[in-house]
Amino acid sequence: MNGNTRAMTTHPPTILRARFRSAIARVVWIGLGIAMHGGIWVEPVWAAEVAVLNDDGSTRALVGEIVEETTREVVVKTAAGEEQRIPVYQVDSVKYDQQPPELAAARSFATQGRFDEALPAMMAILDEIDAKKNSGLDAAIRFEVFLIKAKKGLRSPPDLPAAVEWYAQQKELLAGTRHHYPSLEWAGRVQLALGESAIAEELFSALGSVDWPGYRERSQRYLAELALRQGKAEEAARLFGDVVRSSTAGSTAQWERSLASIGQAEALVQSGKAEEAEKICRQILDDPAVADRPAALAPLRNVLGDALAKLDRKKEAVLDGYMWVHVLYSAEETEHARALFHLASLLGDIGYPQYAEQMAQILTTKLGQTEWAKKLQVPSP
Amino acid sequence: MTHSDILLPPGRREVRIYPPTPWARYDDVRDMGWIAHTVNRHKGASVADRFVRSLFVVAWLVSMIGSAFGADPVLSSPELEYVQAMRSKGLAPLVVEYLRDRRKNLASDSPIRADIEFEWAAALAASSEAASDLTDRQRLLDQARAAFESFRQSFPEHPRSVDASVQEASIELGRGRVRVMQAQLPGNESSALDLAKQARDFFRRAHETYIVADQRITGELSTLTGFLDPQKDRPIYRRRETLFQEQVEARFQSGLALFLMADSYATIDDRVGDPRKRKEFKTALRQSMGIFDKLAEEHRREVAGLYGSLWSARCLIALDEHTKADAILDSLLAHENRELEAFQREVFHFRLLSLAAQGDDGQVVRLAEPWMKENTARRKESSYQGVQWATAKSLIRLGENAEAAGEKERLFREADDLLNLVSRARGPLASQASREQLLLSRRRNRLLKGNSFVSLSAEGMARLDEIPSDASEEEKTRLRRDAVAKLEEALSKVDARDRPEDISEAKCRLAYTYFESARFDKTISIVEPLVQAEPEVPRSAEAALLAISAYARLIEQARSVPAGNSSSDLVSRLQSLVSVMTKRWPQSNTSDQARLLLAKIAFMEERWKDVPVLSDQITTDPLLQAKGESLSGSARWREAMALEASSPDRQALLTEALSRLSRASSLWPKEPTGPISAEHFRHEVVRADAALYSGQPKEAAESVLLLAPALESSQVDSLDPALHSSGVAIVMRTWLAQGDVDRAQKFFQKMAPSLAGTGNEGVTRSLLSLVRSIRASETSSTGATGPSSSSRKGLEALLDQVNDRQEGLEPKDRLYLADAYLSIGNGPKATALIEPILSSLPPADQVVGRLLLAKAESAAGKHPQAIASITALLKENVGVKEVILARGEILESAKDFSAAIKHWQWYLDRLKRVQPRPVELYEVTDRICRLALALPRTNPEAKKLLGSALRLPAYLLETDTNMPADWRSKLTKRVQELQSQ
């Protein structure tokens, strides 16, 4: 049996009580197993606190024992004995009782984008965990390692193969867990960045097979992005348009629609319809769904910059587009690098060569590992 | 008491001034940003105190968290956040750009209107800091002041009108400082006292405005007393925070304004007497000190208080009360804290000022030297420059007191080096440092009045600097000669005491002077040893640049003399120099320039394959890379052209050429404001030409996008006429290749005045293409009716312009032009064009020439000549249809109807014998009919002709079953017309 004690506080008596309860639960499960199958049957039970995502974006904590974890849902048995089935898309995070305190520090490094520190910390934790006893935690950490490697690779393309390799090793293990669909999404993003269109398409299509609200749109959006990367701007604009017109309710779907609108504008820029793209971008700026969300505002301002630059309105491209990303949304590293790249050339064109130099310097020193920095160093023919 | 022991009073926070930005200056404390935050200090406090303070910390934290997520009424708009963020990142000039347009588009009732106006004014003030030119800075400050005034008048009740008062005071302070800097410039010696007076007026106004602002802030703060819930009353809570910060700032700056007022006596008026004896000087300092003391007292638990004490000490130093000043500075030095490092550097600076004022110059130098080494990374800070300045002044005083001449000179030289750094740093001490440098150089010259290397080279270089730019060439030559003599003499006196950097500088100046006088061999003889010297000597990179430039000129000269000396010796010398350079600086710009030069030489010597090899090694500078790629593209092009058209390598070379030329275009740095260089222009012309040759007009159009506007606005640097007309030609050819005749024509009309007298084949050919395209489009749009009178006029003007060009018009082109003239009915011009070239036409074109001449003569009304010409031509070319038709037409237009009738009948008889019947038969029949209809009834042949004319088509219509339908209907119509006669 993989179950362990339940302890939501560090107070020793509470831990003991929880362990005692967990031990009873273990005996019960074994008994049940014998009764049902006539032999020893192991059922996973992990005590944990599950942060459940509400519709409005807030979270609530659900404390109990995870009695079942599939690719689509997590079943939590609360202290009152009630079983709650939480769809995976509503699971914001899970705090396992068995998780070592170092995990919080490792996660914090990852959240801050300090991947080079987060990765060894995670791997060290992984080495110490007994995977057989704590398979839920083990899978969660393996997935988090994949996330770190994927994010690192997306920031610095030479690191992408490491993410692919790790995913290939963990794929089977993750396939039966709640990390299955999220890992498909990230694996798709990695393959997309590597230019492996066929594999990315397969992964994104699989992501669309799940019936969670907004996931079909997400899958379609990624497919549209794929088309865009392949230079099929017209097709991409059409696919993004399909997402924009979808009527699925819920905040995830709404968010996907907003991102798709930005993608649509980008596709229009690439297909030479910069005026139309500008119009869309300015409309999205007024959309409350993206307000205060740099993850959308950063690419949006960049696309607006692209459209204006294409229309040869360079000053507007700088001041209405790219500069916003530099001064307000610099936490979005890839988008920041993209903005700096364009600022480094456009600011010189509009009579501010000293700032252009400054931007190039920031790009090469602070975001030197990004593809944009490399692009700046080696001008394309 | 250390800073960490400072305890918080209830309801107050500890204010920390964060380390200043690299460019912040000692008198720029306000620019460092007064960022207030609370730090809970428990040491030595009672339990009750701790409780109150911990409550306070919690409240502060809650307020900070709240402020991160909530919306503030003043800062709620993302747009305002954006402009403020830009301003805080030092991008104020861009905020000005952004708001300039934004203000126009903003609705007058917009809720952010007032804030935008405030930001506009603040951005103007902040961008004045970025302006390097003092006049620009002054202008921006004036604009900012007006903008704030307008803001206060338009929005008197706006919460930020108090902030505006503080800003206005800061602007006055800034204006005063600009005046001080102007007064300290060596060039403003005569107006310095006036400028100082103006500066003091500004400082006084700034002081008064700060006081008023302080009163307003205090008034507003008095309405915000009592407990404020950081959550519920967050806007008011934050407002109180802001006001508190501004209050501290206003008080500090009011004191600083008075100090600067007093300081202006010390730094400017000192030239007319001891400022310390002036009452105003002392009064201002005492007042200023009073303010700083009060600030230190009221904010003794905050960093603002530390700065109050620091500046109080500064006033004491100025008042020569050093014991008190030192005591304060010593106590301040005890505050060791990482966040106070910038503050401590300022303390150190003031400490040196105190030591210097007490005459302890030796100690100043001893303390400053290791400090400057340790803090080199801070060299852009005002405190660092202040230390450099104080040290330089001490070195000068030490030098003045030194007895040994060598020691004197060493100290002066060190001082000069420091002053040079300060004046180049463009900080607030820059103009003072420039002035001091000038005074020092006079002192040094007096000292070195002998004929040492230092004095002679200084004199020689000073003479070079004094050459007026508007002097005549003779005058410049004379002055240069004098300077060269001095420098030569100086270099002959070099001894072991002279510094290598000074010797190198003198050599480089001398070499450059020779270069300017076109004595390139002399230049090389001076700089080449500098480049090759082992170990490396100072300024060798500069020498290398001069050497390769001189070699380039020499090689150019050698090649321009047909029977002159070969340039091969020069090239091999240059190659050996370049190999030294590339070994010494493999990745340097200088080496790349040398590589580019070698590539150019390879190109000139038609060693096509060597050019790309050399240019591909250029890596450091996009401009050099672009030039290299351009050269390589042209070389590949030439290489391709030398091959047979059927050669398989040719296409590959052409493709590579075009791709290199395109890459060069993308690498070429943009010239956003100024004109484009002739070299860049030439490159784009070559690229467009190559693209057109390869049938890629779209690629050519990319170059034309740059060329056309540059030509239209004459924005090309030193463009020679040949290149100019090549540019015009390529633009027109590109547009014609894209089918845009209209655009090409308009462009030509615009460029025509600038092309007058420039003979360039390319332009002529393009013009001819233009004429052809116009005629083709006229024909397709108007059909047989010919051009309209207005377009005929336009075409004639264009033809005249082509006709006026001497170069590039081949006889064939002249025939074409004559034909074009004929098409618009201008016979005389057509005749004038053909007559002179008729004999020089090749046999194949002889018939066409004579035919056109006959037609032209006819159109010009010279009928007898025309008939004679065409008849002679017909006798020699009896079977040529065009000649036969032309003779008939000429006879008709000469109104020689009987001869015309005979001619047509003769032709008709000939055609009748041809089977199957040719179309010409119907055509001639029709002509005869028309002639019969047109003949005046008085003509004796009219009646006879009418009869035969009627019979002929009637017969054909009846018997000819193969007659084409269009001719059938036409001839039927003719028969009817003849019958009606």
Side-chain angles (χ1 to χ4, degrees):
Chain A
M1 185 181 271
N2 289 336
N4 212 320
T5 52
R6 172 182 170 276
M8 292 323 300
T9 136
T10 52
H11 196 249
T14 318
I15 295 172
L16 289 175
R17 274 200 302 277
R19 285 192 177 152
F20 180 67
R21 276 205 303 275
S22 183
I24 292 172
R26 204 178 307 164
V27 172
V28 171
W29 278 111
I30 293 169
L32 271 173
I34 295 168
M36 288 169 74
H37 298 283
I40 293 183
W41 178 65
V42 178
E43 177 67 21
V45 178
W46 307 300
E49 180 182 308
V50 180
V52 183
L53 211 55
N54 297 321
D55 260 359
D56 61 357
S58 63
T59 55
R60 65 190 155 90
L62 184 65
V63 181
E65 286 161 349
I66 296 177
V67 291
E68 196 183 352
E69 193 186 293
T70 67
T71 56
R72 300 204 175 207
E73 60 182 15
V74 174
V75 183
V76 181
K77 190 174 181 184
T78 62
E82 182 197 354
E83 270 190 10
Q84 287 199 21
R85 309 183 88 81
I86 316 294
V88 169
Y89 74 91
Q90 285 187 342
V91 175
D92 187 52
S93 62
V94 175
K95 194 171 156 193
Y96 294 93
D97 275 8
Q98 305 89 342
Q99 72 183 45
E102 294 84 8
L103 187 61
R107 279 180 176 153
S108 163
F109 285 142
T111 314
Q112 293 167 41
R114 292 157 66 181
F115 302 133
D116 289 332
E117 289 159 89
L119 207 52
M122 283 284 182
M123 294 307 278
I125 295 166
L126 203 57
D127 282 346
E128 281 172 18
I129 289 174
D130 185 342
K132 283 183 186 166
K133 283 184 183 169
N134 303 300
S135 62
L137 177 61
D138 180 67
I141 295 175
R142 282 173 196 279
F143 172 65
E144 282 184 58
V145 169
F146 171 54
L147 268 190
I148 293 168
K149 285 180 180 262
K151 286 179 181 171
K152 196 175 169 211
L154 291 175
R155 183 201 277 173
S156 166
D159 292 324
L160 283 169
V164 174
E165 196 186 329
W166 180 260
Y167 179 67
Q169 289 165 7
Q170 312 303 327
K171 200 170 148 185
E172 274 184 35
L173 190 141
L174 296 174
T177 70
R178 65 187 167 92
H179 309 292
H180 173 63
Y181 286 106
S183 65
L184 284 183
E185 181 180 350
W186 282 94
R189 289 180 66 175
V190 168
Q191 296 292 352
L192 182 68
L194 276 170
E196 294 290 347
S197 314
I199 307 173
E201 189 174 351
E202 197 182 313
L203 291 161
F204 290 141
S205 303
L207 183 67
S209 66
V210 69
D211 56 354
W212 298 335
Y215 271 67
R216 191 177 55 80
E217 285 80 0
R218 183 171 295 180
S219 158
Q220 277 182 339
R221 177 173 64 79
Y222 279 127
L223 291 172
E225 207 168 298
L226 186 65
L228 192 63
R229 289 279 180 103
Q230 290 173 321
K232 300 171 187 167
E234 303 271 348
E235 189 189 331
R238 186 180 54 75
L239 288 169
F240 279 125
D242 290 346
V243 180
V244 173
R245 284 186 294 277
S246 85
S247 54
T248 312
S251 55
T252 312
Q254 179 54 45
W255 174 241
E256 289 301 326
R257 278 193 286 274
S258 301
L259 293 181
S261 303
I262 300 167
Q264 191 183 22
E266 189 166 3
L268 286 169
V269 174
Q270 286 193 16
S271 51
K273 297 170 184 167
E275 279 177 17
E276 209 176 313
E278 187 204 345
K279 210 170 142 190
I280 291 177
C281 287
R282 296 209 188 268
Q283 275 168 1
I284 309 171
L285 283 174
D286 295 332
D287 181 0
V290 299
D292 298 329
R293 298 189 73 169
L297 289 168
L300 173 60
R301 287 287 177 181
N302 274 336
V303 175
L304 179 60
D306 289 348
L308 293 165
K310 201 112 187 172
L311 293 167
D312 206 26
R313 287 151 61 188
K314 290 178 183 171
K315 198 165 84 177
E316 282 176 80
V318 168
L319 295 171
D320 285 359
Y322 306 122
M323 190 56 85
W324 283 75
V325 186
H326 172 53
V327 301
L328 290 183
Y329 316 127
S330 56
E332 302 294 316
E333 280 187 1
T334 311
E335 294 299 331
H336 187 206
R338 178 180 168 186
L340 287 170
F341 173 81
H342 292 296
L343 288 170
S345 69
L346 289 175
L347 279 165
D349 290 352
I350 62 167
Y352 294 94
Q354 75 281 21
Y355 292 145
E357 218 169 276
Q358 191 182 327
M359 299 299 152
Q361 203 181 359
I362 298 172
L363 179 57
T364 48
T365 54
K366 291 194 177 163
L367 298 162
Q369 73 282 31
T370 59
E371 56 174 328
W372 292 100
K374 292 184 176 82
K375 220 170 158 182
L376 187 78
Q377 284 150 12
V378 187
S380 57
Chain B
M1 185 182 73
T2 65
H3 183 63
S4 56
D5 293 331
I6 296 170
L7 291 175
L8 293 164
R12 280 288 167 87
R13 305 154 316 285
E14 174 183 318
V15 177
R16 284 184 179 174
I17 300 172
Y18 275 71
T21 55
W23 282 105
R25 291 182 284 271
Y26 75 90
D27 50 354
D28 253 352
V29 178
R30 66 165 303 275
D31 295 334
M32 298 175 193
W34 293 81
I35 302 166
H37 68 114
T38 314
V39 179
N40 192 14
R41 307 283 182 209
H42 290 286
K43 272 189 260 173
S46 69
V47 176
D49 279 350
R50 284 184 204 169
F51 178 71
V52 170
R53 281 164 207 146
S54 60
L55 270 185
F56 183 79
V57 170
V58 171
W60 174 77
L61 282 171
V62 169
S63 79
M64 292 310 282
I65 294 162
S67 68
F69 295 101
D72 183 292
V74 180
L75 298 171
S76 61
S77 156
E79 198 167 13
L80 284 173
E81 272 181 49
Y82 173 53
V83 291
Q84 283 168 352
M86 259 206 282
R87 188 152 57 90
S88 71
K89 281 184 183 272
L91 302 166
L94 288 172
V95 179
V96 173
E97 289 271 11
Y98 179 77
L99 293 179
R100 188 176 288 135
D101 296 336
R102 188 71 185 96
R103 286 169 69 235
K104 284 180 207 153
N105 303 332
L106 202 66
S108 55
D109 59 347
S110 165
I112 59 165
R113 172 101 227 169
D115 285 302
I116 288 285
E117 289 302 324
F118 181 90
E119 287 302 328
W120 163 248
L124 283 170
S127 58
S128 73
E129 294 291 322
S132 53
D133 182 69
L134 288 179
T135 320
D136 279 351
R137 193 181 284 193
Q138 187 70 46
R139 181 180 51 78
L140 285 163
L141 285 169
D142 291 347
Q143 283 180 6
R145 188 174 179 276
F148 272 122
E149 209 169 295
S150 146
F151 171 82
R152 270 197 304 105
Q153 282 167 5
S154 309
F155 310 100
E157 301 303 317
H158 194 275
R160 293 180 91 176
S161 65
V162 178
D163 314 16
S165 313
V166 180
Q167 290 270 356
E168 276 181 290
S170 307
I171 289 167
E172 294 300 317
L173 195 71
R175 292 165 97 194
R177 281 171 43 204
V178 171
R179 286 284 189 278
V180 165
M181 282 189 262
Q182 283 172 334
Q184 287 164 342
L185 282 173
N188 288 339
E189 201 68 24
S190 58
S191 55
L193 295 180
D194 277 347
L195 287 165
K197 210 164 158 258
Q198 288 174 30
R200 284 192 282 273
D201 287 342
F202 282 125
F203 289 137
R204 193 170 293 111
R205 271 215 293 279
H207 168 71
E208 286 161 5
T209 318
Y210 276 124
I211 300 242
V212 173
D214 180 24
Q215 285 164 355
R216 292 185 66 186
I217 294 166
T218 310
E220 197 176 332
L221 272 174
S222 67
T223 63
L224 301 175
T225 51
F227 175 74
L228 289 173
D229 187 322
Q231 275 289 28
K232 288 181 191 163
D233 313 310
R234 200 169 53 78
I236 310 171
Y237 187 88
R238 288 201 64 192
R239 178 70 191 147
R240 190 167 69 176
E241 301 270 304
T242 313
L243 285 171
F244 173 72
Q245 291 166 26
E246 282 182 348
Q247 187 183 48
V248 174
E249 184 182 336
R251 288 177 182 174
F252 181 87
Q253 300 289 346
S254 70
L256 189 66
L258 286 175
F259 172 81
L260 292 174
M261 198 163 92
D263 197 46
S264 69
Y265 289 111
T267 58
I268 305 163
D269 296 51
D270 60 341
R271 55 196 86 171
V272 289
D274 186 356
R276 280 167 296 188
K277 288 181 183 160
R278 297 182 75 141
K279 196 182 156 201
E280 304 94 312
F281 173 75
K282 284 186 180 168
T283 315
L285 277 177
R286 294 267 172 222
Q287 274 184 326
S288 168
M289 199 168 72
I291 294 168
F292 290 133
D293 282 343
K294 199 173 168 204
L295 195 75
E297 175 60 26
E298 285 181 358
H299 300 275
R300 65 183 184 280
R301 293 160 198 275
E302 296 145 4
V303 173
L306 294 181
Y307 273 88
S309 300
L310 175 70
W311 281 87
S312 176
R314 179 71 187 87
C315 295
L316 287 167
I317 295 167
L319 289 164
D320 278 340
E321 294 178 24
H322 299 293
T323 317
K324 285 183 195 168
D326 288 349
I328 295 173
L329 292 174
D330 283 346
S331 74
L332 292 175
L333 278 170
H335 292 278
E336 285 176 10
N337 183 319
R338 192 173 161 72
E339 286 185 20
L340 287 175
E341 280 177 0
F343 172 76
Q344 290 299 2
R345 285 192 287 277
E346 205 66 272
V347 176
F348 180 80
H349 168 213
F350 287 1
R351 190 64 202 261
L352 289 192
L353 292 179
S354 170
L355 284 171
Q358 293 171 68
D360 201 349
D361 292 312
Q363 181 70 351
V364 170
V365 175
R366 269 191 298 280
L367 287 172
E369 277 174 352
W371 187 91
M372 285 192 285
K373 273 185 198 150
E374 201 180 309
N375 291 284
T376 321
R378 310 286 174 186
R379 63 184 178 280
K380 288 181 178 175
E381 270 181 26
S382 62
S383 53
Y384 191 91
Q385 289 161 25
V387 170
Q388 285 177 318
W389 165 252
T391 315
K393 292 281 280 181
S394 289
L395 283 167
I396 293 170
R397 278 191 294 271
L398 287 172
E400 278 167 350
N401 296 329
E403 283 179 8
E407 178 64 2
K408 234 184 224 299
E409 171 54 18
R410 184 187 67 78
L411 291 165
F412 282 160
R413 201 158 54 197
E414 280 176 24
D416 188 48
D417 288 347
L418 283 173
L419 291 172
N420 199 26
L421 291 172
V422 178
S423 65
R424 280 188 189 182
R426 291 186 171 185
L429 295 166
S431 38
Q432 229 175 324
S434 299
R435 182 168 177 270
E436 198 61 43
Q437 247 187 315
L438 194 78
L439 297 173
L440 183 62
S441 75
R442 283 181 195 153
R443 256 188 226 126
R444 288 178 77 193
N445 279 343
R446 273 203 302 276
L447 181 73
L448 299 163
K449 50 191 159 194
N451 52 0
S452 67
F453 162 75
V454 176
S455 63
L456 288 167
S457 66
E459 200 181 334
M461 286 192 263
R463 287 189 186 190
L464 283 174
D465 290 338
E466 279 166 12
I467 298 177
S469 55
D470 54 352
S472 65
E473 269 314 305
E474 294 79 29
E475 182 68 0
K476 278 184 186 169
T477 313
R478 192 185 60 74
L479 291 168
R480 267 195 213 118
R481 205 182 301 127
D482 289 352
V484 163
K486 279 280 169 219
L487 285 172
E488 294 270 24
E489 195 186 343
L491 286 168
S492 69
K493 307 246 178 218
V494 168
D495 62 34
R497 287 171 307 170
D498 295 315
R499 296 191 308 173
E501 52 266 45
D502 293 340
I503 301 167
S504 291
E505 187 182 0
K507 284 186 176 175
C508 282
R509 287 297 297 265
L510 180 64
Y512 185 70
T513 314
Y514 277 129
F515 186 87
E516 279 188 313
S517 316
R519 294 183 63 185
F520 306 121
D521 46 348
K522 284 289 274 181
T523 307
I524 291 170
S525 70
I526 296 168
V527 288
E528 206 163 35
L530 282 179
V531 183
Q532 288 173 337
E534 284 289 353
E536 194 178 331
V537 295
R539 291 182 179 258
S540 54
E542 196 181 312
L545 258 181
L546 256 174
I548 57 167
S549 306
Y551 266 120
R553 295 293 183 87
L554 270 186
I555 293 167
E556 208 177 331
Q557 277 181 357
R559 292 182 62 84
S560 65
V561 183
N565 295 333
S566 155
S567 61
S568 60
D569 173 46
L570 287 169
V571 172
S572 64
R573 277 168 60 195
L574 172 63
Q575 273 165 341
S576 70
L577 179 72
V578 169
S579 72
V580 172
M581 288 165 65
T582 47
K583 225 175 270 169
R584 183 165 283 170
W585 309 292
Q587 293 293 309
S588 79
N589 184 286
T590 317
S591 297
D592 277 352
Q593 294 209 29
R595 289 183 184 114
L596 182 66
L597 178 64
L598 283 180
K600 280 182 181 170
I601 292 166
F603 188 88
M604 283 196 287
E605 293 178 346
E606 302 190 358
R607 289 185 278 118
W608 308 128
K609 286 196 191 311
D610 292 351
V611 179
V613 175
L614 285 160
S615 78
D616 286 350
Q617 293 169 26
I618 300 170
T619 53
T620 56
D621 178 5
L623 180 62
L624 294 180
Q625 281 180 302
K627 288 178 178 178
E629 279 291 48
S630 175
L631 209 59
S632 303
S634 302
R636 285 280 187 251
W637 190 259
R638 298 285 188 93
E639 202 181 342
M641 289 299 158
L643 296 173
E644 293 281 322
S646 56
S647 164
D649 294 341
R650 194 172 190 250
Q651 193 50 46
L653 284 169
L654 289 176
T655 312
E656 191 192 333
L658 199 55
S659 115
R660 280 186 180 270
L661 290 167
S662 305
R663 186 170 139 72
S665 291
S666 67
L667 283 170
W668 217 293
K670 310 265 180 309
E671 290 112 343
T673 46
I676 79 164
S677 66
E679 202 167 359
H680 189 186
F681 187 89
R682 179 179 288 111
H683 159 73
E684 294 297 346
V685 170
V686 171
R687 182 190 169 203
D689 197 22
L692 284 181
Y693 182 87
S694 309
Q696 296 184 29
K698 270 194 185 166
E699 180 145 1
E702 281 178 28
S703 293
V704 163
L705 274 181
L706 197 139
L707 295 171
L711 282 165
E712 283 174 351
S713 55
S714 308
Q715 288 279 296
V716 191
D717 249 350
S718 339
L719 188 61
D720 63 63
L723 190 55
H724 177 262
S725 45
S726 299
V728 174
I730 208 76
V731 170
M732 286 167 60
R733 277 176 54 206
T734 306
W735 283 334
L736 290 173
Q738 290 192 311
D740 201 343
V741 179
D742 239 24
R743 199 172 181 188
Q745 198 171 2
K746 278 182 192 148
F747 177 73
F748 180 74
Q749 298 305 347
K750 209 178 271 180
M751 298 311 300
S754 66
L755 287 170
T758 60
N760 182 288
E761 204 175 318
V763 180
T764 315
R765 313 253 20 114
S766 304
L767 276 174
L768 276 171
S769 306
L770 181 63
V771 170
R772 283 198 178 95
S773 306
I774 293 168
R775 288 186 69 198
S777 65
E778 289 279 4
T779 314
S780 63
S781 61
T782 60
T785 56
S788 65
S789 66
S790 62
S791 65
R792 189 175 291 152
K793 230 177 180 174
L795 183 59
E796 186 165 357
L798 194 58
L799 289 171
D800 288 346
Q801 277 161 351
V802 186
N803 196 17
D804 288 346
R805 302 184 68 80
Q806 295 304 312
E807 204 173 301
L809 271 187
E810 290 171 12
K812 238 182 175 175
D813 302 324
R814 292 186 192 272
L815 284 186
Y816 181 80
L817 278 182
D819 186 46
Y821 272 124
L822 267 179
S823 72
I824 52 169
N826 196 332
K829 280 187 182 163
T831 314
L833 262 171
I834 304 165
E835 271 177 347
I837 57 155
L838 205 55
S839 56
S840 62
L841 282 174
D845 294 332
Q846 281 285 340
V847 179
V848 183
R850 288 168 66 190
L851 178 66
L852 276 177
L853 179 64
K855 283 184 175 178
E857 285 168 342
S858 167
K862 298 175 179 174
H863 299 298
Q865 289 108 304
I867 293 168
S869 301
I870 197 72
T871 307
L873 187 63
L874 184 62
K875 277 180 188 164
E876 290 164 34
N877 301 280
V878 80
V880 180
K881 177 193 157 191
E882 286 79 9
V883 178
I884 301 169
L885 290 175
R887 184 166 185 270
E889 284 164 9
I890 289 169
L891 289 170
E892 280 181 32
S893 59
K895 300 203 187 310
D896 188 351
F897 298 116
S898 89
I901 292 162
K902 269 184 205 156
H903 175 81
W904 291 128
Q905 277 176 342
W906 164 77
Y907 190 34
L908 195 66
D909 290 342
R910 285 188 61 167
L911 290 170
K912 274 181 191 168
R913 289 197 290 271
V914 182
Q915 282 298 335
R917 283 172 177 161
V919 177
E920 287 81 8
L921 176 75
Y922 314 121
E923 198 181 330
V924 174
T925 308
D926 186 51
R927 280 187 175 272
I928 293 172
C929 294
R930 278 192 282 146
L931 190 59
L933 286 166
L935 267 185
R937 295 292 145 250
T938 51
N939 192 310
E941 289 191 56
K943 200 174 171 188
K944 191 180 158 195
L945 186 62
L946 266 175
S948 66
L950 186 61
R951 269 197 308 279
L952 192 60
Y955 171 76
L956 281 174
L957 284 167
E958 202 180 317
T959 58
D960 190 350
T961 50
N962 293 326
M963 186 188 289
D966 55 336
W967 276 113
R968 183 169 288 281
S969 67
K970 211 182 247 181
L971 291 179
T972 311
K973 202 177 158 196
R974 290 279 178 258
V975 171
Q976 286 165 358
E977 283 170 358
L978 288 165
Q979 279 170 342
S980 67
Q981 294 285 323

